[in-house]
Amino acid sequence: MSLLTGITSPADLKRLRRDQLPLLARDIRERMIECCSVTGGHIGASLGVVELAVALLYEFDSPRDRIVWDVGHQAYAWKLLTGRNDTFPTLRQSGGVSGFLKRSESEHDQFGAGHAGTGVSAALGMATARDLKGESHQVVAVVGDGALTCGLSYEGMNNAGHSDRDIIIVLNDNGMSISPNVGGIARMLGSIVANPKTNALREQIKHLTFALGGVFGEGVVDFAKNLEESAKNLFSRGMLFEELGLRYFGPIDGHDLNKLCDTLGFVRGLTGHRLVHVITEKGKGFAFAEANREKWHGLAAYDPETGEPRKKASGPPTWTQVFGDAITALAAAHPEMVAVTAAMPSGTGTNLFQKKWPDRFFDVGIAEGHAVTFAAGLATQGIRPVVAIYSTFLQRAYDNVIHDVAVQHLPVIFAMDRAGLVGEDGQTHMGLYDIAYMLAVPGMTVTAPRDGEELIGLLKTALAHHAGPFCTRYPRDKAPAEPRAVAEIPAVPYGTWEQLRSGSEIGILAVGTMVAPALRAAELLAADGVDCAVVNCRFLKPMDDGLLEALTQRHRILVTVEEGTVVNGFGAYLAETLQTTHPEVRVVALGVPDRLIEQAPRGDQLQAFGLTADGIARRIAALRHEESLEAR
Ligand SMILES: Cc1ncc(C[n+]2csc(CCOP(=O)(O)OP(=O)(O)O)c2C)c(N)n1
């Protein structure tokens, strides 16, 4: 029988002998590989921290001790050991176990996340609350080396570093973000790992300092401390962590349970601000995942025997592919164009650009704010940056978008992938707010293509637009059709809409992904004798004033449809625009309601909010009925 089956809480785990823990780790890996082969998920990231999750629960006392996992995508072993083994097959499904940590799901999930870099700040907040309340538990933040490319992690460490607050940071260093980790910090961590002897020496000098203090007193201690400092700087390149005020322990093998338990147990007994550097391997224990760490960081359902995806890719390319191919092709005619990503080369399709134009590609790490200001700097010098960031992650950089780009009218192009309902990643990853937040930026051109060709056309328009920033958004989905070659597609005339169908009653103003269902809805309504116009509002800002004026002459009701929050979305913007000039026109906004959206397949989410042809037709039929009752 599997050891895992007998574990329903950390108390069960603590009853195991130390020598049973490796067997438990094996059971956990088997369970994760089996379940994720059906549900998909962040299997590679989670396989790497099986021993770490076991050791943390073995050595600490969760939930009394607060263990915070940064991002939370890697915490599947944590879930299996904290009462969610039975429900684990529902991972990422509607109503099932979340793919991230969630406070409402378990008392062991101390802090919900999904975006990287929040771990240290949240843990410091908890440690401060503990001290304010006179409590005495431990607080541990588990952060990846990728998360150390986030500025937020340093804000937390800086704040914690020279306080006397008891807090432990466990650095899970696998050398990887989703892709290989980038930047100076990654290089520094690499050099520590490559040179364990210098660490041993440093520790020896540290112990000597203590010993000398006991025998010879203060003066010699000062001398020894200087010696320790010099050795540190000489042998370990300044030891950033110690400079920040953290006591550094490591590096230790994150797959050696004995070492992990010994070290965590020892560090637990100390006080102050401590960092344990743990070396792990992404994908550990599953050959396919070890062989291609980037691909297996997180992926869809697969066959565990062959590693092949269960669903073969067929049909049109994804929006991401269309975008990646388009910028790669456009760069040939635009030597001033570069691509910027914040740790998501494959997710955003900028890896395609990177292959062809390596010198014009910049992965800045999980640093969205920096990515945007970096792009602003490039733009001041006549370079045209295309900044590709998921809608949800660009939320991190809102001040940079306004303060560094918009205020200075810099022509930075923003490509917001995963805009709209994102499916199984759930609440933390929803791309529902970009329309609202971008519309509010003065001078920002806001666009959304209806298909792959229009995305390419809009990118051409963006490159020809020098007067200020320009953004476009597209979903986590396949594009509706394979586009023609980039060269054959014209730029979309700036600020124009496209009337796709005329009608005498209601005007439907559709945005991006909603254009196709709006057209089908109009057909369904026509079959019921309701005659609707349909307009593709590919420019949300500026609007097509001429066409809008014509629509207001013909229609008393304009229905907007957008895949984004209805709060301050395109519908709200249109209503505000018309309220003084055309108070007789009623604007009805269809979109995603003002609430957190749970994980489910994207198709189900679209259906749940009526953002399908049927749904739109039903809402418009009801609206018409309502209006006719009022007219009586
Ligand atoms: C703010 C933000 N940007 C981008 C991402 C996408 N993302 C998810 S996991 C990940 C890599 C995290 O690397 P690391 O912290 O080292 O954890 P690992 O996956 O290696 O365990 C990235 C970039 C994110 N979650 N949050």
Side-chain angles (χ1 to χ4, degrees):
M1 196 180 92
S2 140
L3 278 178
L4 179 60
T5 330
I7 292 182
T8 55
S9 73
D12 296 327
L13 167 64
K14 284 177 191 291
R15 276 192 280 274
L16 296 183
R17 295 186 314 273
R18 266 252 198 130
D19 65 349
Q20 291 178 295
L21 299 184
L23 285 178
L24 174 65
R26 193 200 57 195
D27 292 345
I28 293 171
R29 285 204 165 84
E30 271 175 17
R31 179 77 167 147
M32 277 175 10
I33 292 167
E34 174 202 309
C35 292
C36 290
S37 79
V38 179
T39 61
H42 290 99
I43 179 73
S46 285
L47 283 168
V49 290
V50 171
E51 286 82 5
L52 183 56
V54 170
L56 282 165
L57 285 166
Y58 202 67
E59 293 298 329
F60 288 86
D61 183 17
S62 175
R64 186 175 173 276
D65 289 337
R66 317 298 202 245
I67 317 278
V68 176
W69 290 81
D70 198 270
V71 195
H73 66 304
Q74 76 288 52
Y76 293 176
W78 181 263
K79 288 181 182 247
L80 290 171
L81 294 168
T82 51
R84 286 165 278 184
N85 184 23
D86 285 351
T87 50
F88 197 66
T90 66
L91 181 73
R92 294 168 58 86
Q93 314 298 300
S94 303
V97 169
S98 166
F100 299 88
L101 294 187
K102 211 170 175 186
R103 281 164 58 80
S104 57
E105 194 176 287
S106 166
E107 60 178 350
H108 297 280
D109 293 5
Q110 299 290 350
F111 200 75
H115 290 199
T118 61
V120 179
S121 303
L124 182 61
M126 289 176 197
T128 307
R130 171 199 59 205
D131 297 348
L132 286 170
K133 290 160 73 182
E135 293 171 353
S136 62
H137 52 264
Q138 298 281 346
V139 179
V140 181
V142 185
V143 306
D145 57 306
L148 288 196
T149 61
C150 296
L152 187 55
S153 296
Y154 295 91
E155 293 172 30
M157 282 196 278
N158 181 51
N159 191 190
H162 288 278
S163 70
D164 54 1
R165 201 80 69 198
D166 282 346
I167 180 173
I168 300 171
I169 297 174
V170 174
L171 170 58
N172 166 36
D173 180 3
N174 53 26
M176 299 282 290
S177 187
I178 291 177
S179 314
N181 205 8
V182 294
I185 299 298
R187 204 171 323 123
M188 184 204 80
L189 293 176
S191 77
I192 296 177
V193 176
N195 207 348
K197 283 209 182 99
T198 59
N199 285 284
L201 177 65
R202 205 166 48 75
E203 279 306 304
Q204 280 164 14
I205 293 174
K206 199 176 246 167
H207 289 139
L208 185 70
T209 314
F210 277 116
L212 287 175
V215 181
F216 296 108
E218 287 295 302
V220 177
V221 170
D222 282 349
F223 169 76
K225 274 196 177 142
N226 282 341
L227 183 67
E228 183 200 335
E229 195 63 27
S230 312
K232 242 167 42 182
N233 293 337
L234 185 63
F235 293 113
S236 49
R237 303 207 180 158
M239 281 313 288
L240 177 78
F241 300 116
E242 298 243 357
E243 297 295 345
L244 279 169
L246 290 131
R247 278 192 73 188
Y248 174 90
F249 299 87
I252 60 167
D253 177 350
H255 301 298
D256 181 334
L257 270 159
N258 268 328
K259 267 200 194 129
L260 268 178
C261 289
D262 284 347
T263 310
L264 290 176
F266 173 69
V267 170
R268 184 182 201 280
L270 304 176
T271 54
H273 193 30
R274 294 145 279 168
L275 182 136
V276 184
H277 186 181
V278 177
I279 309 302
T280 63
E281 261 179 66
K282 225 170 201 174
K284 178 79 174 174
F286 189 33
F288 302 118
E290 285 181 12
N292 188 341
R293 298 200 159 95
E294 179 165 352
K295 174 177 158 199
W296 284 81
H297 165 87
L299 80 179
Y302 52 86
D303 177 341
E305 302 302 322
T306 62
E308 292 299 315
R310 285 191 196 268
K311 253 204 222 152
K312 294 271 180 292
S314 61
T318 60
W319 284 93
T320 306
Q321 280 166 317
V322 172
F323 167 75
D325 286 337
I327 56 168
T328 308
L330 287 168
H334 291 274
E336 75 287 9
M337 175 186 158
V338 300
V340 179
T341 178
M344 306 294 285
S346 47
T348 56
T350 48
N351 58 342
L352 303 169
F353 183 98
Q354 177 186 19
K355 257 186 225 131
K356 175 97 183 168
W357 310 103
D359 298 339
R360 292 161 64 183
F361 165 81
F362 303 96
D363 178 357
V364 300
I366 312 175
E368 289 78 8
H370 162 65
V372 172
T373 305
F374 169 67
L378 285 164
T380 61
Q381 304 302 306
I383 302 291
R384 294 302 307 274
V386 177
V387 182
I389 296 181
Y390 289 7
S391 163
T392 187
F393 300 141
L394 194 57
Q395 290 163 194
R396 276 278 169 90
Y398 194 46
D399 179 57
N400 310 72
V401 170
I402 296 175
H403 177 268
D404 300 321
V405 175
V407 167
Q408 309 191 81
H409 312 290
L410 293 170
V412 174
I413 299 168
F414 295 97
M416 299 181 291
D417 200 325
R418 297 343 186 239
L421 293 156
V422 296
E424 292 81 357
D425 279 337
Q427 297 177 346
T428 54
H429 282 57
M430 288 294 157
L432 297 173
Y433 313 106
D434 61 89
I435 294 179
Y437 69 66
M438 283 305 199
L439 282 175
V441 178
M444 176 70 72
T445 301
V446 184
T447 71
R450 66 185 282 212
D451 59 21
E453 293 203 355
E454 200 161 65
L455 171 58
I456 295 165
L458 284 170
L459 287 169
K460 288 188 172 182
T461 314
L463 283 163
H465 179 74
H466 296 272
F470 190 108
C471 72
T472 194
R473 74 185 308 254
Y474 42 92
R476 180 190 188 206
D477 212 336
K478 282 180 177 299
E482 173 97 45
R484 284 171 297 160
V486 170
E488 290 174 41
I489 298 164
V492 179
Y494 187 82
T496 61
W497 291 350
E498 184 189 28
Q499 175 125 25
L500 298 171
R501 182 186 172 109
S502 45
S504 54
E505 294 191 48
I506 291 170
I508 310 177
L509 276 65
V511 173
T513 51
M514 291 296 107
V515 172
L519 267 175
R520 285 197 304 279
E523 282 160 22
L524 294 172
L525 288 161
D528 281 343
V530 186
D531 190 20
C532 294
V534 177
V535 178
N536 166 15
C537 298
R538 53 208 182 179
F539 281 83
L540 289 76
K541 182 176 152 179
M543 295 190 201
D544 185 332
D545 293 335
L547 186 45
L548 179 58
E549 183 57 32
L551 289 168
T552 56
Q553 300 304 320
R554 228 170 305 141
H555 307 282
R556 242 174 37 86
I557 302 180
L558 295 178
V559 175
T560 59
V561 200
E562 62 199 297
E563 195 183 335
T565 177
V566 283
V567 180
N568 299 328
F570 178 65
Y573 184 50
L574 183 74
E576 196 280 328
T577 306
L578 293 181
Q579 101 191 340
T580 40
T581 53
H582 290 284
E584 74 286 2
V585 176
R586 179 175 171 199
V587 177
V588 177
L590 306 187
V592 179
D594 179 22
R595 73 169 105 116
L596 293 167
I597 310 302
E598 297 291 346
Q599 66 195 28
R602 183 172 133 75
D604 293 2
Q605 291 168 338
L606 286 165
Q607 201 155 6
F609 302 118
L611 297 175
T612 57
D614 275 349
I616 297 167
R618 234 179 298 121
R619 300 273 287 275
I620 290 178
L623 187 65
R624 189 165 164 271
H625 182 61
E626 212 180 276
E627 285 279 315
S628 66
L629 288 181
E630 271 172 32
R632 270 189 214 162

